[in-house]
Amino acid sequence: MSSDSRVVIVGAGHGAGQAAASLRQEGFEGAIDVYGDEPHPPYQRPPLSKAYLSGEQGVEKVYLRPAAFYDSKDIGMHTGVRVESIDPAARTITSSEGSATWDHLILATGTRPRLLPIPGADLAGVHYLRTIADVDGIRAELSGDTRLVIVGGGYIGLEVAAVALTVGANVTVLEMEDRILQRVTTPQMSAFYHQLHSGRGVDIRVNTAASRFEGTGTVSGVVCGNETLAADMVVVGIGVLPNVELAEAAGISCDNGIVVDERCLTNVPNVYAIGDCCNHPNPILGRRLRLESVPNAMEQARVCAANIAGKDKTYASVPWFWSDQYELKLQMLGFSADGEDSVLRGDMAANEFAVFHMSDGKVVAVDAVNCPREFMAAKQMYGKAVDPAKLADPSVEMKELL
Ligand code: FAD
């Protein structure tokens, strides 16, 4: 790869930060310029609803790498700069800094929160959670006296509930489906987390949709059905939308994300997309996916960097995720919906168990709560046949089953 080649990365999030670092690790000697519309160098979003929200982790610890790293690697970090357009034919981008050329372009534009289009949504005290700025706004208002209503019983909503409860806030979670985590996990896991949060004092209301926020200037209530819940603060966590508009306007193929192949390449030569914004093929699962997960963004960043540096690398990973709520660490591998049967190992009442999801006798997913050993073993067991009776028996070591 010639040293006068130039890579431009759009979006300075998790995927972008890793792609820039990986390009140097792969020996890429040309120019690298990263453009991000937030005023921070690439940072980790998972702590935003966990240790950064609770105040245990400061902003420097949230950064993926110290800001000085990028200077030391001769990576141009253009923070607070939004890329407005891409011209694939001229190989340029335009931003408030003017026009810049590229030989390779990486789109790592992530997602944005899905907005709740109901009356009162623009009142002060109604928050979304995607950025450091969002959390700073929430933290400034959250105290032991706060009556917090969370709209959406997904992972982010439940993580916020757990932190807010430890601060002493009065927390209600509204979920329009008939169970929390409905989109992402099994009824068994939904019931487990429902009980966990209710037991700690969170008021969870399923089959309940917010229809209006009330207040004069600042939110004071949430209307759902015939009831109005008093609220000093609302956090809305109802999913995200991929940031594809920039790509779409440039004629790059999009379909629930920017469409890429197994090398992270779009339909336009030398234009790649990685992370939450991209729709990619997964050869292990045999279908296309758009994932919202750090491991996925990191791996695609490595694949795309290797390919730009002249190697030939393809993406083939089993998706995995995690969520921290109270003292419970949930680690998930694969998709539980791919299983027909499940095997429980451990003790749900003791908050230490793993549910293995099986299809044709083979492990296709796992949900592990406070069971890192089972989770690690499941990564090696994925797609392999395992004796369910032995798997369910905690006296049989995981090592023996591998
Ligand atoms: P992002 O990190 O979202 O970065 C994209 C960046 O691009 C953003 O800064 C965006 O503003 C910027 N951008 C977009 N368009 C432009 C433009 N035109 N010009 C300039 N900049 C632009 N994942 C897990 O695996 N585990 C977890 O526990 C977990 N918890 C999470 C908790 C929260 C609160 C959130 C919000 C996410 C969490 N995630 C978690 C998801 C994880 O953070 C994402 O999967 C990851 O950040 C994806 O990285 P990315 O680079 O694709 O996008």
Side-chain angles (χ1 to χ4, degrees):
M1 179 64 48
S2 90
S3 60
D4 53 9
S5 183
R6 174 181 292 272
V7 176
V8 163
I9 307 179
V10 185
H14 217 126
Q18 183 58 47
S22 293
L23 277 164
R24 290 292 182 236
Q25 277 156 14
E26 293 286 352
F28 178 79
E29 290 176 356
I32 304 174
D33 284 287
V34 183
Y35 291 80
D37 57 4
E38 293 185 64
H40 300 279
Y43 65 88
Q44 312 167 64
R45 286 176 211 277
L48 298 188
S49 47
K50 309 176 181 78
Y52 184 69
L53 178 61
S54 70
E56 283 161 58
Q57 205 170 333
V59 74
E60 302 290 331
K61 284 264 166 64
V62 172
Y63 289 166
L64 206 51
R65 292 181 174 80
F69 168 86
Y70 304 98
D71 284 342
S72 74
K73 296 288 175 190
D74 199 14
I75 294 166
M77 192 55 71
H78 306 251
T79 51
V81 181
R82 187 167 176 80
V83 173
E84 302 295 349
S85 66
I86 301 165
D87 184 338
R91 292 200 169 162
T92 55
I93 53 128
T94 53
S95 72
S96 54
E97 290 184 347
S99 172
T101 57
W102 46 267
D103 299 292
H104 300 270
L105 181 69
I106 303 175
L107 301 173
T109 48
T111 59
R112 60 181 182 275
R114 186 187 289 278
L115 302 181
L116 188 60
I118 62 173
D122 54 355
L123 287 168
V126 176
H127 297 268
Y128 291 84
L129 204 171
R130 182 78 200 165
T131 65
I132 287 177
D134 292 339
V135 184
D136 290 345
I138 293 171
R139 275 173 56 181
E141 288 173 26
L142 184 65
S143 72
D145 302 326
T146 307
R147 291 163 303 177
L148 169 65
V149 175
I150 297 171
V151 181
Y155 286 120
I156 290 182
L158 295 177
E159 288 179 353
V160 172
V163 172
L165 207 72
T166 53
V167 172
N170 180 302
V171 186
T172 304
V173 173
L174 308 182
E175 170 54 60
M176 66 187 288
E177 301 294 342
D178 61 1
R179 59 182 173 96
I180 55 171
L181 301 173
Q182 194 260 358
R183 197 174 59 88
V184 287
T185 195
T186 59
Q188 183 187 30
M189 290 300 285
S190 294
F192 172 80
Y193 274 98
H194 191 128
Q195 208 177 348
L196 173 77
H197 283 276
S198 305
R200 306 271 168 132
V202 178
D203 180 4
I204 299 187
R205 303 184 181 205
V206 294
N207 295 312
T208 307
S211 57
R212 199 170 73 241
F213 297 130
E214 288 190 334
T216 314
T218 302
V219 70
S220 59
V222 179
V223 180
C224 38
N226 297 326
E227 206 180 344
T228 301
L229 302 171
D232 309 301
M233 190 200 283
V234 170
V235 174
V236 181
I238 55 168
V240 293
L241 298 170
N243 291 323
V244 297
E245 291 74 7
L246 193 65
E248 254 171 358
I252 298 165
S253 210
C254 296
D255 177 13
N256 180 31
I258 304 170
V259 176
V260 296
D261 66 12
E262 62 281 11
R263 287 172 178 76
C264 299
L265 250 180
T266 68
N267 63 317
V268 173
N270 290 13
V271 179
Y272 297 78
I274 59 171
D276 285 16
C277 70
C278 87
N279 169 336
H280 59 276
N282 187 306
I284 302 171
L285 274 70
R287 57 183 191 262
R288 297 191 73 89
L289 300 169
R290 192 183 63 73
L291 297 174
E292 292 146 21
S293 100
V294 163
N296 172 66
M298 302 271 281
E299 185 53 18
Q300 289 180 333
R302 292 188 192 104
V303 167
C304 151
N307 289 331
I308 290 174
K311 308 212 168 115
D312 184 18
K313 202 166 170 184
T314 56
Y315 173 90
S317 301
V318 180
W320 66 275
F321 314 87
W322 78 92
S323 174
D324 299 334
Q325 295 164 52
Y326 309 104
E327 71 286 2
L328 276 65
K329 178 169 257 326
L330 168 66
Q331 293 169 296
M332 295 154 278
L333 178 78
F335 297 102
S336 49
D338 289 343
E340 294 120 28
D341 310 303
S342 66
V343 175
L344 173 66
R345 180 182 169 98
D347 185 357
M348 288 185 94
N351 295 342
E352 207 174 300
F353 64 93
V355 183
F356 290 83
H357 303 278
M358 320 285 287
S359 176
D360 285 336
K362 294 174 184 152
V363 174
V364 292
V366 71
D367 299 317
V369 171
N370 288 348
C371 275
R373 210 172 300 157
E374 274 71 9
F375 176 72
M376 291 311 288
K379 283 187 162 183
Q380 293 177 57
M381 277 176 186
Y382 186 89
K384 299 192 181 118
V386 180
D387 180 345
K390 286 187 178 163
L391 192 54
D393 181 354
S395 71
V396 179
E397 290 278 335
M398 290 305 288
K399 287 194 291 242
E400 278 180 51
L401 294 166
L402 290 172

PDB file of all heavy atoms in Angstrom, residues 340-354:
ATOM      1  N   GLU A 340     -34.534 -24.596  19.192  1.00  0.00           N
ATOM      2  CA  GLU A 340     -35.876 -25.176  19.360  1.00  0.00           C
ATOM      3  C   GLU A 340     -36.058 -25.653  20.790  1.00  0.00           C
ATOM      4  O   GLU A 340     -37.161 -25.677  21.314  1.00  0.00           O
ATOM      5  CB  GLU A 340     -36.069 -26.389  18.435  1.00  0.00           C
ATOM      6  CG  GLU A 340     -36.070 -26.055  16.968  1.00  0.00           C
ATOM      7  CD  GLU A 340     -34.961 -26.764  16.213  1.00  0.00           C
ATOM      8  OE1 GLU A 340     -34.539 -27.859  16.630  1.00  0.00           O
ATOM      9  OE2 GLU A 340     -34.489 -26.193  15.208  1.00  0.00           O
ATOM     10  N   ASP A 341     -34.957 -26.070  21.426  1.00  0.00           N
ATOM     11  CA  ASP A 341     -35.000 -26.544  22.815  1.00  0.00           C
ATOM     12  C   ASP A 341     -33.982 -25.754  23.610  1.00  0.00           C
ATOM     13  O   ASP A 341     -33.080 -25.146  23.041  1.00  0.00           O
ATOM     14  CB  ASP A 341     -34.586 -28.020  22.911  1.00  0.00           C
ATOM     15  CG  ASP A 341     -35.329 -28.865  21.913  1.00  0.00           C
ATOM     16  OD1 ASP A 341     -36.561 -28.844  21.965  1.00  0.00           O
ATOM     17  OD2 ASP A 341     -34.649 -29.499  21.068  1.00  0.00           O
ATOM     18  N   SER A 342     -34.126 -25.851  24.943  1.00  0.00           N
ATOM     19  CA  SER A 342     -33.097 -25.210  25.756  1.00  0.00           C
ATOM     20  C   SER A 342     -32.729 -26.089  26.937  1.00  0.00           C
ATOM     21  O   SER A 342     -33.514 -26.946  27.357  1.00  0.00           O
ATOM     22  CB  SER A 342     -33.561 -23.836  26.222  1.00  0.00           C
ATOM     23  OG  SER A 342     -34.636 -23.980  27.102  1.00  0.00           O
ATOM     24  N   VAL A 343     -31.522 -25.883  27.416  1.00  0.00           N
ATOM     25  CA  VAL A 343     -31.004 -26.652  28.557  1.00  0.00           C
ATOM     26  C   VAL A 343     -30.549 -25.640  29.601  1.00  0.00           C
ATOM     27  O   VAL A 343     -29.750 -24.744  29.301  1.00  0.00           O
ATOM     28  CB  VAL A 343     -29.788 -27.514  28.126  1.00  0.00           C
ATOM     29  CG1 VAL A 343     -29.178 -28.219  29.324  1.00  0.00           C
ATOM     30  CG2 VAL A 343     -30.192 -28.509  27.051  1.00  0.00           C
ATOM     31  N   LEU A 344     -31.064 -25.782  30.807  1.00  0.00           N
ATOM     32  CA  LEU A 344     -30.674 -24.874  31.894  1.00  0.00           C
ATOM     33  C   LEU A 344     -29.569 -25.514  32.715  1.00  0.00           C
ATOM     34  O   LEU A 344     -29.668 -26.665  33.137  1.00  0.00           O
ATOM     35  CB  LEU A 344     -31.886 -24.584  32.791  1.00  0.00           C
ATOM     36  CG  LEU A 344     -31.602 -23.794  34.064  1.00  0.00           C
ATOM     37  CD1 LEU A 344     -31.152 -22.366  33.751  1.00  0.00           C
ATOM     38  CD2 LEU A 344     -32.844 -23.773  34.968  1.00  0.00           C
ATOM     39  N   ARG A 345     -28.523 -24.766  32.928  1.00  0.00           N
ATOM     40  CA  ARG A 345     -27.425 -25.226  33.787  1.00  0.00           C
ATOM     41  C   ARG A 345     -27.265 -24.176  34.874  1.00  0.00           C
ATOM     42  O   ARG A 345     -27.144 -22.982  34.576  1.00  0.00           O
ATOM     43  CB  ARG A 345     -26.154 -25.337  32.951  1.00  0.00           C
ATOM     44  CG  ARG A 345     -24.931 -25.806  33.721  1.00  0.00           C
ATOM     45  CD  ARG A 345     -23.743 -25.823  32.775  1.00  0.00           C
ATOM     46  NE  ARG A 345     -22.505 -26.006  33.477  1.00  0.00           N
ATOM     47  CZ  ARG A 345     -21.879 -27.175  33.606  1.00  0.00           C
ATOM     48  NH1 ARG A 345     -22.364 -28.266  33.051  1.00  0.00           N
ATOM     49  NH2 ARG A 345     -20.743 -27.249  34.276  1.00  0.00           N
ATOM     50  N   GLY A 346     -27.263 -24.604  36.122  1.00  0.00           N
ATOM     51  CA  GLY A 346     -27.105 -23.648  37.213  1.00  0.00           C
ATOM     52  C   GLY A 346     -28.436 -23.334  37.869  1.00  0.00           C
ATOM     53  O   GLY A 346     -29.441 -24.009  37.643  1.00  0.00           O
ATOM     54  N   ASP A 347     -28.431 -22.245  38.654  1.00  0.00           N
ATOM     55  CA  ASP A 347     -29.555 -21.967  39.535  1.00  0.00           C
ATOM     56  C   ASP A 347     -30.073 -20.547  39.275  1.00  0.00           C
ATOM     57  O   ASP A 347     -29.416 -19.562  39.631  1.00  0.00           O
ATOM     58  CB  ASP A 347     -29.047 -22.113  40.988  1.00  0.00           C
ATOM     59  CG  ASP A 347     -30.156 -21.957  42.000  1.00  0.00           C
ATOM     60  OD1 ASP A 347     -31.303 -21.680  41.586  1.00  0.00           O
ATOM     61  OD2 ASP A 347     -29.867 -22.103  43.197  1.00  0.00           O
ATOM     62  N   MET A 348     -31.256 -20.455  38.679  1.00  0.00           N
ATOM     63  CA  MET A 348     -31.803 -19.125  38.370  1.00  0.00           C
ATOM     64  C   MET A 348     -32.070 -18.341  39.652  1.00  0.00           C
ATOM     65  O   MET A 348     -31.859 -17.122  39.694  1.00  0.00           O
ATOM     66  CB  MET A 348     -33.086 -19.249  37.542  1.00  0.00           C
ATOM     67  CG  MET A 348     -32.820 -19.703  36.115  1.00  0.00           C
ATOM     68  SD  MET A 348     -34.288 -19.723  35.069  1.00  0.00           S
ATOM     69  CE  MET A 348     -34.203 -18.125  34.286  1.00  0.00           C
ATOM     70  N   ALA A 349     -32.514 -19.036  40.699  1.00  0.00           N
ATOM     71  CA  ALA A 349     -32.843 -18.340  41.952  1.00  0.00           C
ATOM     72  C   ALA A 349     -31.592 -17.737  42.590  1.00  0.00           C
ATOM     73  O   ALA A 349     -31.670 -16.739  43.314  1.00  0.00           O
ATOM     74  CB  ALA A 349     -33.516 -19.312  42.924  1.00  0.00           C
ATOM     75  N   ALA A 350     -30.438 -18.334  42.301  1.00  0.00           N
ATOM     76  CA  ALA A 350     -29.181 -17.814  42.859  1.00  0.00           C
ATOM     77  C   ALA A 350     -28.505 -16.812  41.909  1.00  0.00           C
ATOM     78  O   ALA A 350     -27.372 -16.383  42.153  1.00  0.00           O
ATOM     79  CB  ALA A 350     -28.242 -18.980  43.155  1.00  0.00           C
ATOM     80  N   ASN A 351     -29.201 -16.452  40.842  1.00  0.00           N
ATOM     81  CA  ASN A 351     -28.650 -15.506  39.853  1.00  0.00           C
ATOM     82  C   ASN A 351     -27.332 -15.989  39.239  1.00  0.00           C
ATOM     83  O   ASN A 351     -26.429 -15.199  38.943  1.00  0.00           O
ATOM     84  CB  ASN A 351     -28.425 -14.111  40.458  1.00  0.00           C
ATOM     85  CG  ASN A 351     -29.730 -13.461  40.875  1.00  0.00           C
ATOM     86  OD1 ASN A 351     -30.794 -13.880  40.430  1.00  0.00           O
ATOM     87  ND2 ASN A 351     -29.645 -12.469  41.733  1.00  0.00           N
ATOM     88  N   GLU A 352     -27.229 -17.299  39.051  1.00  0.00           N
ATOM     89  CA  GLU A 352     -26.007 -17.863  38.457  1.00  0.00           C
ATOM     90  C   GLU A 352     -26.413 -19.057  37.600  1.00  0.00           C
ATOM     91  O   GLU A 352     -26.630 -20.151  38.118  1.00  0.00           O
ATOM     92  CB  GLU A 352     -25.073 -18.302  39.590  1.00  0.00           C
ATOM     93  CG  GLU A 352     -23.624 -18.282  39.175  1.00  0.00           C
ATOM     94  CD  GLU A 352     -22.704 -18.574  40.360  1.00  0.00           C
ATOM     95  OE1 GLU A 352     -22.737 -17.817  41.343  1.00  0.00           O
ATOM     96  OE2 GLU A 352     -21.996 -19.590  40.279  1.00  0.00           O
ATOM     97  N   PHE A 353     -26.558 -18.812  36.324  1.00  0.00           N
ATOM     98  CA  PHE A 353     -27.042 -19.888  35.450  1.00  0.00           C
ATOM     99  C   PHE A 353     -26.729 -19.564  33.990  1.00  0.00           C
ATOM    100  O   PHE A 353     -26.408 -18.420  33.646  1.00  0.00           O
ATOM    101  CB  PHE A 353     -28.571 -20.064  35.608  1.00  0.00           C
ATOM    102  CG  PHE A 353     -29.353 -18.860  35.168  1.00  0.00           C
ATOM    103  CD1 PHE A 353     -29.844 -18.755  33.865  1.00  0.00           C
ATOM    104  CD2 PHE A 353     -29.587 -17.805  36.040  1.00  0.00           C
ATOM    105  CE1 PHE A 353     -30.555 -17.634  33.446  1.00  0.00           C
ATOM    106  CE2 PHE A 353     -30.290 -16.677  35.627  1.00  0.00           C
ATOM    107  CZ  PHE A 353     -30.781 -16.601  34.333  1.00  0.00           C
ATOM    108  N   ALA A 354     -26.820 -20.610  33.178  1.00  0.00           N
ATOM    109  CA  ALA A 354     -26.683 -20.416  31.722  1.00  0.00           C
ATOM    110  C   ALA A 354     -27.785 -21.225  31.043  1.00  0.00           C
ATOM    111  O   ALA A 354     -28.030 -22.379  31.411  1.00  0.00           O
ATOM    112  CB  ALA A 354     -25.311 -20.887  31.253  1.00  0.00           C
TER     113      ALA A 354
END
